[in-house]
Amino acid sequence: MQSLKILLLGAAIGSASVLPASASSSAWYNSEGGKVRLVTSGKPDEAGRIQGVLDIALKPGWKTYWRDPGDAGVPPQLNVSASTNIADATLSFPAPQRHDDGYGKWAGYNYPVSLPVVFTLSTAKDSAVIDADVFLGICETICIPVQTRLTVDPGSDPDNADDAALVKASFAALPAPARSDFGINVLPGDHETLVVEASFPGDPEAADFFVAGERDYMFGAPSRSEKDGKLIFTVPILDRPSATPTDGGLHYTLTSSAGAVEGLLPFP
């Protein structure tokens, strides 16, 4: 991924111009490896939340990243600070695949993917315009940083059937919440290792564990072992904050041949 690091140095010098807010989905922004747009659907709920997706249409042979890209990638980022009456935007991620590009292993997608996003209005009853600065990396043999601003007026066509179908399908494809028979238990580790025991249905060979490095944590690729008939994932902690956070946790996804679940891990 050294090529990505080089390309990122120049990422800020070029971005798409602001598009007029005229539809519940933005125009596509085209790049060398694919195209990206924002789609919204429906009116805000009582809490002032609007569902949408960051729609990434990759060309064959190209890839993009999960919420944790590894040690040299770029996770998708969405900044809505330039918007009107939008307080926050929260991205969610479908279950990723593990890739090895010869430089390192990383988590992401090698097919077109729609990332669900929830937009929260500052004032629930007022109209809103989404001006979202988007930044993500898409990769073939090298990685290209994609930087653009996408503009959407979610109230202009809130009953668009195509938009509604895309948003509904994208949220339905997210991992389910972890449960007792499909999830992980944290085992004793040390300062440099996160160890979890996985429970899941399906073929053990198909199971994989992904943990997102956040709050100054960085993780390596997990190794697999078996103990008392249980699958164990041991994850190197490559970097960590000087003080362990006391609030929240780390996002994880556990996949198997029977599907995927997600949850939060306590900070190691």
Side-chain angles (χ1 to χ4, degrees):
M1 290 297 185
Q2 184 64 32
S3 55
L4 175 60
K5 294 178 181 177
I6 296 171
L7 283 169
L8 286 179
L9 295 177
I13 63 174
S15 62
S17 58
V18 176
L19 299 172
S22 59
S24 58
S25 61
S26 74
W28 287 102
Y29 175 75
N30 292 285
S31 70
E32 182 177 350
K35 55 186 180 179
V36 60
R37 65 173 178 161
L38 271 180
V39 178
T40 61
S41 177
K43 298 179 177 64
D45 64 15
E46 291 183 357
R49 295 171 299 204
I50 298 173
Q51 291 188 331
V53 297
L54 179 62
D55 200 16
I56 306 169
L58 297 170
K59 293 180 181 178
W62 288 76
K63 307 175 183 69
T64 194
Y65 294 102
W66 184 58
R67 64 168 75 242
D68 184 334
D71 63 356
V74 180
Q77 299 169 48
L78 202 61
N79 185 330
V80 293
S81 60
S83 302
T84 301
N85 196 34
I86 298 291
D88 187 38
T90 303
L91 280 169
S92 297
F93 293 82
Q97 301 168 326
R98 197 170 302 282
H99 299 273
D100 188 341
D101 59 10
Y103 295 96
K105 295 180 180 180
W106 52 277
Y109 314 94
N110 61 356
Y111 49 84
V113 62
S114 297
L115 305 181
V117 55
V118 175
F119 298 97
T120 302
L121 274 62
S122 302
T123 305
K125 295 183 179 180
D126 291 351
S127 60
V129 175
I130 300 168
D131 282 314
D133 291 313
V134 177
F135 188 45
L136 67 154
I138 56 176
C139 313
E140 192 184 34
T141 53
I142 61 172
C143 285
I144 307 296
V146 174
Q147 184 176 10
T148 185
R149 176 173 288 186
L150 301 176
T151 300
V152 177
D153 178 358
S156 65
D157 190 11
D159 300 316
N160 185 292
D162 290 338
D163 290 351
L166 174 62
V167 172
K168 182 178 180 180
S170 299
F171 275 85
L174 288 174
R179 55 184 193 263
S180 59
D181 63 338
F182 196 173
I184 59 92
N185 290 317
V186 179
L187 300 181
D190 55 40
H191 197 72
E192 299 179 349
T193 309
L194 170 68
V195 183
V196 301
E197 175 188 273
S199 300
F200 53 88
D203 180 8
E205 293 300 319
D208 206 348
F209 173 69
F210 303 87
V211 58
E214 299 165 313
R215 306 281 291 273
D216 295 330
Y217 282 91
M218 180 181 293
F219 298 97
S223 60
R224 302 159 57 101
S225 61
E226 186 177 317
K227 181 180 180 182
D228 299 329
K230 289 286 190 176
L231 181 60
I232 307 298
F233 290 99
T234 301
V235 186
I237 302 175
L238 305 179
D239 200 4
R240 60 185 304 137
S242 56
T244 303
T246 57
D247 61 307
L250 296 170
H251 289 92
Y252 80 87
T253 297
L254 177 65
T255 62
S256 81
S257 58
V261 295
E262 63 184 4
L264 283 179
L265 289 173
F267 293 106

